Amino acid sequence: MKKKINVRLVISSICLILFLLLLFLVVNDKTVNFDRRVYEIFVFNKLTTMVMKTVTFFGEWSSLLLISIFSVLILKNKIFALSIPLNMSIIALFNFTVKNIVCRPRPDELRLIEESGYSFPSGHSAVSLAFYGYIIYLIFKYCKNKFLKTILISFLTMMILSIGMSRIYLGVHYVTDVIGGYCFSLAYLVWYTYLIDRGLELHSIEVSKK
């Protein structure tokens, strides 16, 4: 157990340090050129825009809520079932709090969709990584079919990355918002999974005593 905690500590520490470094650069307007250069890489056309709008939908609160409700209904293990919407709620609250502390305005050059609120860190990126990342963790740990495990983890990983990319393409976030969201979310997620594991261990001990 100590070894696992150390790995989590290393991962969360690296992510938190990167997030704080990025935050410092953003607050001091040191990322303007980098953000602009990444945005200029994208090639805009109707087909790509349609795809990006579809992808970003899977990071919307409504989509994640539907998946959460579905999970609660189909999963036999109620700790897992309830931990999915709980995870979404916690990271959304954390992200909202940080956004309103930093107060970074959204890009205003070209928006292909309308969004309100502040920009850093990207809520879609942070919440999607925590939400789908947690599902990846559950699949990795409990799915016994190796082929299915590989397919699902690959698909969800691509989903997380694509959602972040879609936010930049659609003009509602800078690339630094997305990276910041990922770093912040991963630092949180490694400890959320630890707490869920500990909860399951304690639950198993209680059940065995009865």
Side-chain angles (χ1 to χ4, degrees):
M1 181 57 68
K2 288 184 178 180
K3 186 176 181 180
K4 290 183 179 179
I5 292 177
N6 289 336
V7 171
R8 293 177 193 271
L9 182 60
V10 169
I11 294 173
S12 62
S13 297
I14 292 173
C15 289
L16 188 57
I17 290 170
L18 290 174
F19 174 77
L20 292 174
L21 176 60
L22 195 57
L23 175 60
F24 173 80
L25 294 174
V26 166
V27 169
N28 289 279
D29 295 325
K30 300 296 185 180
T31 65
V32 176
N33 290 333
F34 176 67
D35 286 322
R36 182 180 296 111
R37 288 176 181 175
V38 172
Y39 182 72
E40 290 173 350
I41 294 174
F42 290 99
V43 177
F44 296 88
N45 56 62
K46 290 184 178 180
L47 177 60
T48 306
T49 299
M50 182 179 67
V51 171
M52 290 298 182
K53 286 182 177 180
T54 301
V55 168
T56 209
F57 173 74
F58 288 95
E60 297 284 349
W61 178 264
S62 56
S63 301
L64 301 181
L65 182 60
L66 286 174
I67 297 172
S68 296
I69 293 173
F70 182 71
S71 300
V72 170
L73 293 175
I74 67 168
L75 289 178
K76 295 180 180 180
N77 188 314
K78 293 308 175 185
I79 294 180
F80 286 153
L82 295 175
S83 68
I84 292 175
L86 177 62
N87 174 40
M88 178 181 67
S89 301
I90 293 173
I91 187 61
L93 179 61
F94 282 170
N95 185 262
F96 177 81
T97 302
V98 175
K99 271 180 179 285
N100 284 274
I101 292 174
V102 179
C103 297
R104 185 188 198 186
R106 290 182 183 272
D108 56 7
E109 293 182 5
L110 176 63
R111 292 191 193 180
L112 300 180
I113 59 174
E114 287 300 319
E115 286 286 3
S116 59
Y118 294 112
S119 193
F120 183 92
S122 165
H124 275 65
S125 302
V127 175
S128 295
L129 188 146
F131 185 85
Y132 294 116
Y134 180 57
I135 295 176
I136 287 173
Y137 176 78
L138 295 179
I139 292 171
F140 177 80
K141 193 168 184 180
Y142 297 103
C143 181
K144 296 179 180 179
N145 187 315
K146 292 184 179 180
F147 177 75
L148 181 61
K149 179 188 291 188
T150 301
I151 294 298
L152 290 175
I153 290 178
S154 298
F155 174 76
L156 291 174
T157 300
M158 289 301 299
M159 177 70 75
I160 294 169
L161 296 175
S162 297
I163 288 172
M165 187 183 300
S166 73
R167 305 307 286 172
I168 305 168
Y169 178 94
L170 294 171
V172 292
H173 279 294
Y174 300 103
V175 64
T176 44
D177 297 333
V178 172
I179 297 173
Y182 286 154
C183 290
F184 177 77
S185 184
L186 187 55
Y188 151 83
L189 183 60
V190 294
W191 290 108
Y192 184 80
T193 55
Y194 170 71
L195 291 175
I196 294 299
D197 285 346
R198 287 293 295 159
L200 286 171
E201 288 177 11
L202 293 174
H203 178 70
S204 299
I205 292 173
E206 289 296 325
V207 170
S208 64
K209 288 181 178 179
K210 293 181 180 180

